[in-house]
Amino acid sequence: MFEKNVKKLNTELRKLKKSGIQNIINGKPYPSSDKTTFENTSPVNGELICQVAKGTEKDIDKAAKAAMKAFKTWRLMPHKERKAILYKVADNIEKYANEIAVLESYDTGQPIRFTKKAAIRGAYNFRYFADKIIDAPNGLSTPDTEHVNFTMKQPIGPVGVITPWNAPFMLSTWKIAPALAAGCTVVHKPAEFSPVTANILSRAAHEAGLPKGVWNTVHGFGESAGKALTEHEDIKAIAFVGETTTGSHIMRQGAATLKRVHFELGGKNPVIVFDDADMDRALDAVVFMKYSLNGERCTSSSRLLLHEDVYDSFIKKLKRRVNSIKVGHPLDPNTEVGPLIHPSHQEKVLSYAKLAKEEGAKVIAGGTKPRNLIEGCYVKPTLVEGLDTSMRLANEEVFGPFLSVFKFKTEEEAIRIANSVRFGLTAYIWTNNTGRAHRLARDVEAGMVWINSQNVRHLPTPFGGVKYSGIGRDGGEYSFDFYMETKNISVAYGTHSIPKLGK
Ligand code: NAD
């Protein structure tokens, strides 16, 4: 299987090296306005994958104008036709599943066991929101004595979608599918570290008959292309997934044009294991939620809070599991952890192992590069114990295969530790005490809580964070709340009195 994946990758790489990656505006490929490009390399070995158009303010302007023009007709397209196109996009995504999986793995370092699910999840996102198109404009009826009032929902206009590098394909579909279903048009700015699959997605959409200008893709850097998108007058809202500090920049940049923003930001999520939990299931979930997707996962449980009575036995088993995680080439189906996105990120993650020692914590697994994988951006799955909430390591997002462990005695202490960070995305609670599970779910500061479970995404449920982890919710109706405006229409029966001035 590994050889087959490598063969497929090489075929795709040959094409990419020749064509490079262009911006897609009005359904057509364009180089950047000043013809500049940037290099996109693989975290597996530093190989140059291809040159990528380095989008400029001019390119963003062209894309935003195309999106504004296309909005006039896309918003009014009969729901059956819009739905048929989005269904076809989903079919095309599945058609390109292998290409997406191998390129996403080589571009991001994510193991193929996860990227091969990206197309399935992406296609599902399109079908799910396509099915909701018919009801998306529905509003409320609020009749009064002299007037009939009713509301309807309408697409907000062209929107900007800015995505990060960790799960670029899936996250792009997750944002763009509801935007298109709502009747918005899109300018997408993919992450500069992982631009490759964005154009496959765009191709899947245009081959499905999506009208030109409805979905535009402009590559480039955050400070230039991204910034210009957030400042553009024609762009009515920004759906952003990325770091908390970038979210603050975007809020400032969008202030002059009163941008509506939806932020999915960083996390430092707790997993709390009480002494009455099912320890085997908890262990599986703890390992999966920190070391899957290279630990570069916003919802990962990066802080393990362990009850003192089960601490020693749990840590012993956990350490064994962490040391047995298979680190390797992301195209190898046996690989569980691949290389991290970029040498700079590899250095950042390793620096936290050093910091752990400086702060008085203890690295009990990993913390270094694996000796047999020197070429790529690999980091050994890392486990650190002896944390307290005053440490930097206990507060900052590491975003790698790096788990920090705290010991607690009481429920109150567990809640205090869980809530001691500025983030509040997810929390995972393991206990068989029903009352305690509900108390924790109530008191822990997070947008999403799982009891006795890892993160299992159900699309109709709200996804999003509190505190510095985000603003707004995605999923089901919640996505439409962001991409649509509610308009009230009031119709008089013709019987009410009208004040007469100047008579
Ligand atoms: P990042 O914030 O560095 O970049 C994300 C995107 O923003 C990129 O496309 C980048 O080019 C763009 N950008 C950067 N500066 C900008 C600016 N001034 N104006 C406009 N755009 C700008 O994030 P990253 O390093 O790519 O991704 C990792 C982060 O994403 C982590 O913090 C992770 O927790 C977060 N994340 C959150 C979720 C969630 O659902 N909450 C999901 C995935 C990732």
Side-chain angles (χ1 to χ4, degrees):
M1 201 60 200
F2 180 41
E3 287 73 29
K4 213 170 143 200
N5 291 338
V6 171
K7 201 169 157 210
K8 174 78 181 151
L9 173 73
N10 287 335
T11 312
E12 297 306 328
L13 280 181
R14 269 195 296 279
K15 288 191 252 170
L16 258 182
K17 279 187 205 290
K18 221 191 235 173
S19 65
I21 291 184
Q22 315 275 24
N23 298 327
I24 311 288
I25 302 174
N26 242 328
K28 281 200 223 136
Y30 286 97
S32 73
S33 64
D34 60 7
K35 305 284 185 289
T36 51
T37 58
F38 66 93
E39 291 188 344
N40 177 38
T41 55
S42 170
V44 176
N45 48 21
E47 181 191 7
L48 174 69
I49 296 179
C50 61
Q51 295 287 338
V52 185
K54 192 170 163 196
T56 62
E57 198 180 330
K58 252 189 178 169
D59 298 320
I60 289 289
D61 184 52
K62 188 167 164 175
K65 288 201 168 113
M68 185 48 111
K69 189 162 174 234
F71 179 63
K72 294 188 173 61
T73 44
W74 179 249
R75 67 186 279 265
L76 297 174
M77 180 182 274
H79 62 81
K80 274 190 185 157
E81 286 173 40
R82 204 187 305 154
K83 177 175 168 175
I85 292 175
L86 297 193
Y87 257 75
K88 189 86 183 68
V89 177
D91 295 346
N92 286 348
I93 288 175
E94 282 169 349
K95 192 169 86 188
Y96 294 132
N98 283 342
E99 184 180 337
I100 292 164
V102 294
L103 284 174
E104 182 105 318
S105 278
Y106 200 59
D107 199 18
T108 62
Q110 296 288 359
I112 192 124
R113 64 169 67 222
F114 303 118
T115 59
K116 71 179 185 203
K117 295 193 185 122
I120 299 163
R121 277 285 303 275
Y124 178 53
N125 286 340
F126 272 90
R127 292 199 186 102
Y128 174 82
F129 285 107
D131 283 337
K132 296 184 85 65
I133 290 178
I134 188 166
D135 287 323
N138 293 352
L140 277 179
S141 163
T142 52
D144 196 4
T145 324
E146 308 278 12
H147 293 79
V148 176
N149 291 286
F150 63 96
T151 63
M152 60 165 76
K153 288 197 280 170
Q154 296 182 314
I156 189 169
V159 298
V161 173
I162 302 179
T163 46
W165 48 255
N166 61 322
F169 186 84
M170 207 291 291
L171 286 170
S172 304
T173 63
W174 168 232
K175 294 280 157 190
I176 295 172
L180 297 181
C184 296
T185 52
V186 171
V187 178
H188 177 207
K189 209 299 280 168
E192 50 271 48
F193 277 168
S194 59
V196 170
T197 50
N199 280 27
I200 307 176
L201 186 54
S202 167
R203 192 200 320 151
H206 286 100
E207 286 175 359
L210 193 78
K212 61 181 190 175
V214 169
W215 178 344
N216 308 275
T217 308
V218 178
H219 292 277
F221 291 95
E223 315 82 68
S224 44
K227 181 167 179 284
L229 182 59
T230 60
E231 290 174 345
H232 202 285
E233 182 76 44
D234 288 346
I235 298 294
K236 303 302 170 198
I238 294 287
F240 169 73
V241 187
E243 277 193 26
T244 297
T245 46
T246 314
S248 300
H249 287 309
I250 291 177
M251 201 173 241
R252 264 194 300 276
Q253 292 160 194
T257 50
L258 291 179
K259 234 30 124 223
R260 179 184 291 185
V261 293
H262 185 180
F263 288 163
E264 286 177 17
L265 310 173
K268 188 80 178 172
N269 311 302
V271 50
I272 309 173
V273 180
F274 285 91
D275 52 344
D276 62 353
D278 180 330
M279 292 301 156
D280 292 337
R281 285 174 72 77
L283 180 65
D284 287 343
V286 165
V287 175
F288 177 75
M289 278 316 298
K290 186 56 257 181
Y291 300 99
S292 58
L293 294 167
N294 292 348
E296 296 163 322
R297 177 176 189 159
C298 57
T299 52
S300 73
S301 51
S302 48
R303 293 181 298 147
L304 169 61
L305 281 54
L306 267 179
H307 190 270
E308 60 177 7
D309 289 352
V310 289
Y311 190 92
D312 290 340
S313 60
F314 197 94
I315 283 282
K316 203 169 148 202
K317 289 184 197 154
L318 176 61
K319 193 174 157 186
R320 208 177 303 139
R321 289 281 288 274
V322 172
N323 281 327
S324 308
I325 289 174
K326 291 184 190 68
V327 183
H329 195 293
L331 291 182
D332 184 337
N334 294 317
T335 292
E336 292 171 322
V337 167
L340 306 190
I341 184 73
H342 193 265
S344 60
H345 190 59
Q346 178 192 30
E347 282 316 312
K348 177 186 154 186
V349 173
L350 287 169
S351 77
Y352 279 101
K354 210 167 138 232
L355 178 70
K357 289 176 204 154
E358 286 165 17
E359 291 192 306
K362 201 165 148 204
V363 179
I364 54 172
T368 56
K369 300 177 191 178
R371 263 196 234 120
N372 56 333
L373 290 163
I374 286 304
E375 213 187 7
C377 305
Y378 294 92
V379 171
K380 272 193 194 169
T382 302
L383 185 60
V384 177
E385 67 171 346
L387 268 87
D388 75 61
T389 55
S390 67
M391 295 175 178
R392 255 184 67 202
L393 178 59
N395 289 280
E396 296 176 13
E397 187 184 36
V398 179
F399 216 55
F402 196 113
L403 179 59
S404 306
V405 193
F406 298 73
K407 195 188 275 188
F408 73 88
K409 229 188 225 204
T410 62
E411 194 177 310
E412 292 68 33
E413 193 185 3
I415 294 171
R416 182 185 59 75
I417 298 171
N419 292 344
S420 65
V421 296
R422 65 180 192 147
F423 297 106
L425 190 57
T426 62
Y428 307 88
I429 294 153
W430 288 85
T431 177
N432 278 323
N433 177 328
T434 312
R436 175 153 64 199
H438 283 285
R439 288 193 296 276
L440 266 286
R442 180 192 62 198
D443 293 340
V444 81
E445 293 166 355
M448 295 167 279
V449 179
W450 274 270
I451 311 283
N452 295 330
S453 176
Q454 77 282 28
N455 169 348
V456 178
R457 182 83 192 105
H458 181 47
L459 265 190
T461 61
F463 183 103
V466 300
K467 295 161 82 177
Y468 282 74
S469 286
I471 297 175
R473 295 291 179 271
D474 261 327
E477 302 303 322
Y478 302 93
S479 296
F480 290 135
D481 286 346
F482 177 68
Y483 292 113
M484 299 181 93
E485 294 279 22
T486 300
K487 180 187 274 180
N488 188 66
I489 296 158
S490 188
V491 184
Y493 288 123
T495 52
H496 70 291
S497 68
I498 305 176
K500 297 175 179 54
L501 301 183
K503 223 179 165 191

